[in-house]
Amino acid sequence: AELVTGDIINFWEAYDKASKDSTHALDAFNDYYFKNASEGLKDYFSLRIYSTELFMNNLVTKKAFYKAIRKNTLRVEQFKEPIRNSFIKLKSIYPAAGFPNVYFVIGRWTSAGTVSRNGLLIGTDMLSKSDDIPLHELSLWEKNNYKEIENLPYIVAHELVHSQQNSMRLDTT
């Protein structure tokens, strides 16, 4: 399985361009983030983002938040070894396990993790908490569902288990 972080890099490139020219912010995100999307971000867009307008509205309502989370979202690389270790552990207890790619994306606060036919989709912005991140722009639900970046390997492991389930939508266990 590949652990794909390129969408995070592309997001910050688009963010920087949008910050310099707010009248063309939507174009910056379209050109540098969504047009360069991995297969995982393409799936995440259709499953959780829905539209560029909703995506941009989220960024506008959480300006201080997004300005502050960059350093934590760029820490994903530090968690690759623990994530791979969880794959190894799963294989040891469930030999039939399969291992899809893991895509780390920045979304619009609709899912910290989900699965698609292309792999695991991790909404890294929802997993970027640290003491220096401002929370005043977040709703009560968002504050209660915002997790520290150190939880990233556990969220990936959780989604990895979901990826093993057949007919997940019909499974209530």
Side-chain angles (χ1 to χ4, degrees):
E2 288 184 53
L3 304 179
V4 182
T5 58
D7 292 312
I8 293 174
I9 303 302
N10 292 342
F11 172 87
W12 291 114
E13 182 178 2
Y15 180 90
D16 289 342
K17 292 191 182 307
S19 296
K20 290 177 184 166
D21 181 6
S22 61
T23 59
H24 295 100
L26 182 60
D27 293 334
F29 279 100
N30 278 327
D31 292 344
Y32 294 93
Y33 190 46
F34 296 119
K35 285 183 182 172
N36 294 319
S38 68
E39 291 303 310
L41 178 56
K42 290 174 188 174
D43 288 351
Y44 194 89
F45 187 92
S46 65
L47 293 169
R48 297 291 189 255
I49 294 175
Y50 308 121
S51 77
T52 53
E53 291 77 15
L54 290 170
F55 177 82
M56 291 303 298
N57 184 56
N58 180 61
L59 293 178
V60 168
T61 60
K62 295 178 179 73
K63 285 182 182 179
F65 172 81
Y66 279 95
K67 188 174 183 178
I69 67 168
R70 180 189 308 239
K71 67 180 180 356
N72 287 341
T73 64
L74 294 174
R75 290 181 57 204
V76 170
E77 295 288 332
Q78 297 174 6
F79 298 99
K80 284 188 171 183
E81 184 177 347
I83 290 168
R84 285 190 180 103
N85 288 341
S86 70
F87 285 28
I88 293 166
K89 181 65 175 175
L90 179 61
K91 190 70 168 177
S92 75
I93 59 177
Y94 182 58
F99 299 97
N101 290 339
V102 182
Y103 297 92
F104 299 93
V105 303
I106 300 201
R108 69 171 191 94
W109 266 90
T110 52
S111 179
T114 192
V115 298
S116 76
R117 61 182 170 77
N118 288 308
L120 311 182
L121 314 174
I122 308 300
T124 312
D125 46 333
M126 291 182 67
L127 303 166
S128 60
K129 188 175 184 181
S130 61
D131 291 340
D132 58 335
I133 305 296
L135 304 178
H136 66 278
E137 297 165 325
L138 302 182
S139 70
L140 180 59
W141 181 88
E142 290 167 338
K143 288 176 186 175
N144 288 332
N145 287 281
Y146 189 35
K147 304 294 182 219
E148 287 79 10
I149 188 69
E150 289 77 14
N151 286 321
L152 188 64
Y154 307 113
I155 300 298
V156 173
H158 173 92
E159 297 305 329
L160 180 60
V161 171
H162 282 309
S163 75
Q164 308 306 307
Q165 296 171 315
N166 291 328
S167 305
M168 189 172 95
R169 290 187 180 131
L170 303 175
D171 189 354
T172 59
T173 61

